[in-house]
Amino acid sequence: MQVFLRLLLLCSLCWGTIVSPLNAEEIPSGLMISTSRLIYTEGQPSVSFWLANRSTQPWVVTASVFKTDTHGEANREKSAQFLVTPPMALLAPGQRLPFRLVWIGSSVANNKTEGLERLRLNLVPGNDVQSQHNTLSISVSLWLKVFVRSMALNEVHGQMERPHFVASCHGESLTIENKEPFWQTVRSVKMGGKELIDEKAPAPMLAPFNKLTLPSATCNSSPVMGILNDNGLVISLPLDKDEAHD
């Protein structure tokens, strides 16, 4: 109860907030997070991460998991598969706070494709409780990807040397087909040295066995795609071209 009252007091000391949605790679200065993505494999009781505060102000953190649409974007429906603990907490200066996503869903043993959900961390900066000054604060919504795999899919992923994609040209567009049962985070696509992905925008998600179409003025060379691996690092892959559609 004392912690909850302290959270309310911290929030009440901010007379206004501006909400800014960010991906995990864009975490505010002074905060650190242990990962930009979480991978849950069938049979695990939970997956965990931590959030650390190296700033001089406390932060009120609330956490929720949401389902996603066919483009990998979060919708308004909360997850029925994960329970976040703690759902609300105070992150004090100098503190490192652990979080757990506890699995409460049904079996995914028969799932033929990888699942994707989104974890949202709402971060509201609070003034020190001894301060009497009201300030305008920026509230941040930090989003992390949560991938869900059956044991069979996890074995396939571990044995996969490289993901398989096929690229084809249709007029002034390039279509990339994902031949794998896994979601892909597309960070870069280059055609003839020209970048087709907006580096300032969130990286598009490519669903299992689905397609991504991008505008391209030329298709006279083999495209190269950069995707994020399980560790959040970019790996470059030359794409096979479907010459029949050029």
Side-chain angles (χ1 to χ4, degrees), residues 112-177:
K112 302 301 182 184
T113 59
E114 181 179 60
L116 173 63
E117 300 199 340
R118 294 268 189 166
L119 169 65
R120 185 185 69 189
L121 299 175
N122 277 343
L123 308 173
V124 180
N127 297 326
D128 189 279
V129 294
Q130 296 179 354
S131 173
Q132 301 300 316
H133 301 288
N134 294 330
T135 59
L136 178 65
S137 301
I138 298 178
S139 174
V140 176
S141 290
L142 192 64
W143 291 92
L144 283 77
K145 302 177 185 73
V146 183
F147 299 96
V148 179
R149 295 175 187 164
S150 66
M151 292 183 66
L153 280 175
N154 196 54
E155 290 179 6
V156 170
H157 191 277
Q159 297 171 1
M160 184 171 56
E161 293 184 3
R162 50 161 284 185
H164 183 205
F165 303 94
V166 174
S168 58
C169 292
H170 306 267
E172 294 187 349
S173 65
L174 173 70
T175 297
I176 301 170
E177 184 176 0

Side-chain angles (χ1 to χ4, degrees), residues 42 107-113 150:
E42 175 193 1
S107 174
V108 297
N110 296 323
N111 289 12
K112 302 301 182 184
T113 59
S150 66

Side-chain angles (χ1 to χ4, degrees), residues 29 43 75 78 89 106 143 147 155 157 160 176 181 206 213 228:
S29 177
N75 56 36
K78 287 193 175 182
S106 56
W143 291 92
F147 299 96
E155 290 179 6
H157 191 277
M160 184 171 56
I176 301 170
L206 181 51
T213 299
L228 299 186

Side-chain angles (χ1 to χ4, degrees), residues 3-54:
V3 172
F4 181 71
L5 292 175
R6 181 174 170 82
L7 291 174
L8 292 179
L9 179 58
L10 279 167
C11 289
S12 67
L13 291 175
C14 300
W15 64 266
T17 58
I18 300 175
V19 179
S20 176
L22 300 172
N23 291 314
E25 296 85 356
E26 306 170 285
I27 190 167
S29 177
L31 297 180
M32 295 182 63
I33 195 166
S34 60
T35 184
S36 63
R37 58 196 48 230
L38 295 165
I39 300 173
Y40 171 82
T41 303
E42 175 193 1
Q44 291 180 286
S46 64
V47 288
S48 60
F49 68 98
W50 53 257
L51 188 64
N53 184 4
R54 293 188 174 181

